[in-house]
Amino acid sequence: MRIKLLALLSAAVLVTACSQDDPSKGSVVVYVSIDQTIAEPVLETFARETGIEVKPVYDVEAAKTSGLAKRLAEEADTPRADVFWSGEPVQTEVMAQAGLFSPYLPDKLRPGPQPGPENRWVAFGGRARVFIINTARLNKADWPTSIYDLVADGRDTSRAVIAYPLFGTSATHASALFTTLGPERAGAFFDRIVAHKVRIVDGNSVVRDLVADGTADFGLTDTDDACSAFERKPDEVGVVFPDQAADGMGTLVIPNSVALVKGGPNPQAGKRLIDHLLSEAVADQLADAGWFRIDGTRVFSPETCGLPAKVKPMAVDYAALARTMGDVIRELRDRIVR
Amino acid sequence: MATAAARQSSSREIAQRARAVPGALLWLIVGLGPILALLAAIPASEGMADALMPSLRRASLFMTSIALAFSVAVFTVTVSALAARSLRRRSGRASALLYWAPLAMIAVPPYVHANAWMSAGAGIDALLGRTAATGLSAPDAVAAFWVQSMAFLPAAYGFVLLGMARMDPMLVDAGRIHADDWRVFRRIELPMMAPSVIVGGGLAAILSLTDFSTPALFQLPSYAMDVFVTYGSGADSGAVFLLALPMVLTGIAIIAALLGRIETGTRLPDTPPYTAIACNTPPAWFRSLETVALFVLAMQSAIPVVALLQATGSPAVFAQTVAAASRDIVSSMGSAGISALFAILLGLLLFRHLENRFVMLLCLLPLAMPGTLTGIGLIHLWNNDATSAVYGGPAMPVLASLARFAPIGILLFHAHHRTISRDLIDAAQMFRGNGAATWWWIYLPLYWRAAAGVFLIVFALSLGELAATILIAPPGQGALSIRIFNLLHYGSTAAVASLSLLMLLLAMAAAIVLLALFNTRGAARLAGRTA
């Protein structure tokens, strides 16, 4: 009887397991590490316009953008995804260097998107690292203007907050600082972050919430997080780009990236999705949704986030960042996670 | 004559072993498969040196995690035991419901508790006109301890209830003739409850040890976080498994240490229906402790529920959010439902063999695995050409849930099995063998309540599973937990609250169904209360 029961239930699972759609009908599998709320309408538009069924898998901030990137790496021998759409470029370049992507560029690439090394991925649109400030807690004269304000003597830095520089865009920023400042100065900067008791929290959205609620005075986060708080509480929240002075290093601009997975099951549909994602229409759609804020040095809808119309970006080489990112994370892990 | 009997006994033994084969094979694939796949990845690991490098920093993190896990375990079982004891003295359906209601909170993930308690802390701070006075909105080991305790309290509470059920009311009453309630509790009740209480504490400790998100939220570095960061820095899965081994081995050690306790701890007293005499009054200080514990237990449920209701805003927002997420809800409920059915099947196939400690260890081993490692193990196991029909399909979330939660189901079946008189089964098998009739007329009436319990608990836990699901979710098939975390990042407080509330309502509905299935008398019997 138990064996019959086992057989019956196993058959049920096999039936459901094998009831996947036939890929030949026209479908594309995309691993998406940007917010589902933002990506879903874009993918639905593509499916409606092309008739190609889109099968997305979404990442979550709790997985620190490493969830789907790691999944792609673990699946390298038998790829399941066609397209990887990420909210940042360095993890994508890391995977490109590991040979996980095929070179692909659309026939007509509009101005704006920038191909990565060997055309294995394309950067498009962008967010930037910004300070979010609680205006009830800090007078405008006291607003931070440089990342060094996080470790400035004379400030109550225990009321400043950053996300763990070990995950996601915070790790990308930390890695960029190590490349720009050099390992010694950057390492010393993070030692001072710890010594000054700057709060290090679980993610950029937590930074946003703590500052917006007044639990912290100011924090370092991404434009999408900061601007969403600004839209909800324009009288209580301020947003500024750090290090914009003439001799400042600029702020890190973080473009989205998209890549064609090597050996994916539906390469043609994958290429069509990449063409769509790099289109002007999608750029507008993502800018309207508040996801894209930056295009080169231009700032989209700056008035909706209290930002200037132009930004001074940090000069970074993503290929170099990708090569050093793992070492930087391990270095910071040893300094911070203790 | 003796030879014939020996032959008969031997053939019965062979038949019994043959019947164990399907269950063993299924468990080898479903439960132990991900662990074996990770073990197989170790020889090819390139990051072995970093993983095996002894480090004071790692040792210190490990000790922090152990201290947190131990504190959470002690606190959760203490609160559970005191609160359950206080509730047990009260009679009536309402108190029976209150007695069981905290179990519904098992489906509420730690982040909901964290958000709720941080909101409550901020509210108290605002009332007092202070900033971060409660410590719940400040980086604090105490805050991490508190939120983990609230999140894992239902798991410990469930085993404490089993412990209560294990108490022989006649022995307790016999003690009360000669001593006050405190002495009876200390000398008679506690020793009888202890095995189950220890198992509950062990489970809470394992959950705490493998939870990375709550300590990180409160800026408390933990060993689980170190493992996660190392994985994110590019280490291969073999190295990460090696790095996680101290955590896994500690989990195994806890399980191994609890094995003996589990065997006795899950056994109910085989006493005839008995009406306990009226309780004596415990000393005032002990009653105060019970009241405090009862208050903590009530707050454990009330704070998240109130915070979620408040954040949801209105029924319209709730309805709108649920409608927008309906596909993910249906898909998650489907996966959770199938997982729960398979957990029942695994329980039925394996519970009898748990008498063997080695088998029990193999059955409970997956409990010690962090969810992320289970996910990686599942990719290694299933992502190949031979099993491509399964990998990437809707079976994967089911396999992830089973790998994580089926051990709890098997354990519950085992617990229920220990309450059943074997005479009934032996008598039936003597006349009807082990055929369909025995299953229909004997096993089904005896085990359907356990099956219902396993279904509902595995269903509730599977609904909120995230760590493994994110790594193996089939393309195009959403999951409720993934949507909630996405909304959390997006800052949609009302939507997060609505979906969390939905999960809670589903779990509560499950608990009410469970209570109805047991009926008041049955529930009271299981709780060791007088019906």
Side-chain angles (χ1 to χ4, degrees), chain A residues 2 9 13 16-17 20 35-36 40 56 58-59 70-71 74-75 80 199-200 208 326 330 333-334 337, chain B residues 57-58 137 219 225-226 230-231 233 342 348 380 383 389 391 394 439 470-471 473 476 483 486 489 491:
Chain A
R2 277 190 291 178
L9 279 169
V13 157
T16 50
Q20 302 166 64
D35 286 349
Q36 183 174 1
E40 222 162 32
Y58 294 102
D59 213 337
K70 283 291 176 185
R71 178 168 170 173
E74 299 287 356
E75 291 176 350
R80 305 290 170 169
R199 285 183 67 174
I200 306 177
R208 171 199 63 202
R330 281 187 287 276
R333 175 197 66 188
D334 294 349
V337 185
Chain B
R57 184 186 64 84
R58 277 188 183 142
S137 48
Q219 210 182 326
M225 183 177 184
D226 194 61
T230 305
Y231 186 47
S233 73
F342 267 88
L348 283 171
H380 281 247
N383 186 32
Y391 188 80
W439 273 84
I470 193 77
L471 288 166
R483 181 171 283 270
N486 258 293
H489 177 238

Side-chain angles (χ1 to χ4, degrees), chain A:
Chain A
M1 179 65 181
R2 277 190 291 178
I3 292 170
K4 284 177 192 167
L5 189 64
L6 172 63
L8 197 68
L9 279 169
S10 301
V13 157
L14 276 177
V15 166
T16 50
C18 300
S19 64
Q20 302 166 64
D21 296 326
D22 181 356
S24 65
K25 284 180 185 169
S27 62
V28 59
V29 175
V30 55
Y31 286 2
V32 185
S33 79
I34 74 164
D35 286 349
Q36 183 174 1
T37 322
I38 302 287
E40 222 162 32
V42 172
L43 298 175
E44 280 168 6
T45 306
F46 172 76
R48 202 168 46 245
E49 287 176 357
T50 61
I52 295 172
E53 186 192 4
V54 180
K55 295 178 174 178
V57 178
Y58 294 102
D59 213 337
V60 294
E61 193 189 35
K64 312 297 174 197
T65 67
S66 63
L68 287 183
K70 283 291 176 185
R71 178 168 170 173
L72 266 176
E74 299 287 356
E75 291 176 350
D77 292 339
T78 319
R80 305 290 170 169
D82 301 300
V83 173
F84 180 54
W85 175 12
S86 172
E88 67 88 63
V90 179
Q91 192 74 256
T92 310
E93 173 59 18
V94 169
M95 289 190 286
Q97 288 176 6
L100 297 179
F101 301 134
S102 291
Y104 175 70
L105 272 188
D107 291 337
K108 293 176 186 170
L109 190 64
R110 68 178 175 86
Q114 295 292 321
E118 297 172 31
N119 298 336
R120 292 189 187 275
W121 54 277
V122 182
F124 65 117
R127 298 175 290 160
R129 299 289 286 168
V130 286
F131 277 124
I132 178 171
I133 299 137
N134 186 295
T135 55
R137 304 275 320 166
L138 283 185
N139 296 321
K140 192 141 191 174
D142 297 327
W143 284 16
T145 55
S146 164
I147 57 160
Y148 287 106
D149 284 326
L150 286 165
V151 292
D153 295 329
R155 266 187 189 274
D156 183 3
T157 50
S158 67
R159 291 191 59 81
V161 57
I162 63 169
Y164 274 106
L166 307 164
F167 311 111
T169 53
S170 302
T172 309
H173 196 180
S175 200
L177 289 174
F178 268 76
T179 310
T180 306
L181 302 175
E184 282 186 17
R185 283 179 64 197
F189 172 76
F190 283 102
D191 283 344
R192 288 177 68 193
I193 288 269
V194 175
H196 277 71
K197 300 190 186 308
V198 173
R199 285 183 67 174
I200 306 177
V201 297
D202 194 28
N204 288 311
S205 58
V206 181
V207 171
R208 171 199 63 202
D209 294 340
L210 289 179
V211 174
D213 293 346
T215 307
D217 291 354
F218 72 98
L220 195 58
T221 184
D222 298 334
T223 42
D224 56 307
D225 294 304
C227 295
S228 67
F230 183 87
E231 282 164 20
R232 282 198 299 273
K233 297 178 173 178
D235 298 331
E236 298 169 40
V237 166
V239 185
V240 292
F241 291 122
D243 300 298
Q244 297 296 294
D247 58 346
M249 71 176 114
T251 191
L252 181 70
V253 170
I254 310 152
N256 275 214
S257 57
V258 63
L260 185 70
V261 177
K262 190 177 178 180
N266 313 290
Q268 291 311 317
K271 287 175 182 175
R272 288 188 68 182
L273 178 58
I274 291 175
D275 294 352
H276 178 76
L277 292 176
L278 296 176
S279 68
E280 191 85 46
V282 168
D284 291 343
Q285 199 176 354
L286 293 172
D288 289 345
W291 180 250
F292 281 176
R293 281 283 165 185
I294 315 291
D295 184 13
T297 59
R298 188 165 69 95
V299 178
F300 289 119
S301 310
E303 68 286 352
T304 60
C305 194
L307 287 168
K310 291 275 182 188
V311 62
K312 179 182 180 181
M314 216 170 159
V316 287
D317 173 359
Y318 295 122
L321 289 195
R323 280 191 294 274
T324 58
M325 182 103 153
D327 292 336
V328 169
I329 291 177
R330 281 187 287 276
E331 168 91 23
L332 287 174
R333 175 197 66 188
D334 294 349
R335 288 172 189 265
I336 292 172
V337 185
R338 52 190 319 128

Side-chain angles (χ1 to χ4, degrees), chain B residues 68 227 503 512:
Chain B
L68 180 66
V227 173
M503 280 175 64
I512 289 167

Side-chain angles (χ1 to χ4, degrees), chain B residues 144-336:
Chain B
F145 155 78
W146 184 259
V147 170
Q148 275 200 343
S149 295
M150 293 300 99
F152 305 139
L153 188 58
Y157 183 74
F159 277 93
V160 166
L161 291 192
L162 267 177
M164 290 275 187
R166 190 177 171 272
M167 285 193 306
D168 185 340
M170 283 193 282
L171 284 181
V172 174
D173 281 352
R176 279 188 181 131
I177 293 169
H178 302 289
D180 63 29
D181 249 20
W182 162 241
R183 286 180 64 200
V184 169
F185 175 73
R186 197 161 53 94
R187 305 294 293 272
I188 298 176
E189 293 183 20
L190 207 52
M192 282 194 287
M193 282 168 62
S196 289
V197 169
I198 291 169
V199 172
L203 187 59
I206 290 172
L207 291 171
S208 166
L209 204 58
T210 54
D211 173 36
F212 134 79
S213 64
T214 307
L217 192 63
F218 294 103
Q219 210 182 326
L220 180 70
S222 62
Y223 193 82
M225 183 177 184
D226 194 61
V227 173
F228 203 88
V229 174
T230 305
Y231 186 47
S233 73
D236 56 70
S237 45
V240 173
F241 184 55
L242 273 177
L243 188 58
L245 264 186
M247 220 159 56
V248 176
L249 290 175
T250 305
I252 292 170
I254 293 173
I255 290 169
L258 300 178
L259 285 181
R261 305 293 185 179
I262 289 170
E263 283 191 31
T264 52
T266 54
R267 184 181 295 148
L268 289 176
D270 196 14
T271 53
Y274 172 76
T275 303
I277 59 172
C279 291
N280 291 338
T281 308
W285 65 269
F286 191 66
R287 262 185 298 151
S288 306
L289 275 181
E290 285 185 341
T291 307
V292 170
L294 198 56
F295 179 73
V296 171
L297 191 71
M299 289 300 104
Q300 189 271 343
S301 303
I303 292 286
V305 170
V306 170
L308 291 175
L309 284 171
Q310 197 178 22
T312 299
S314 69
V317 172
F318 179 80
Q320 200 179 345
T321 310
V322 169
S326 56
R327 278 187 61 194
D328 293 349
I329 294 166
V330 169
S331 135
S332 285
M333 286 180 68
S335 294

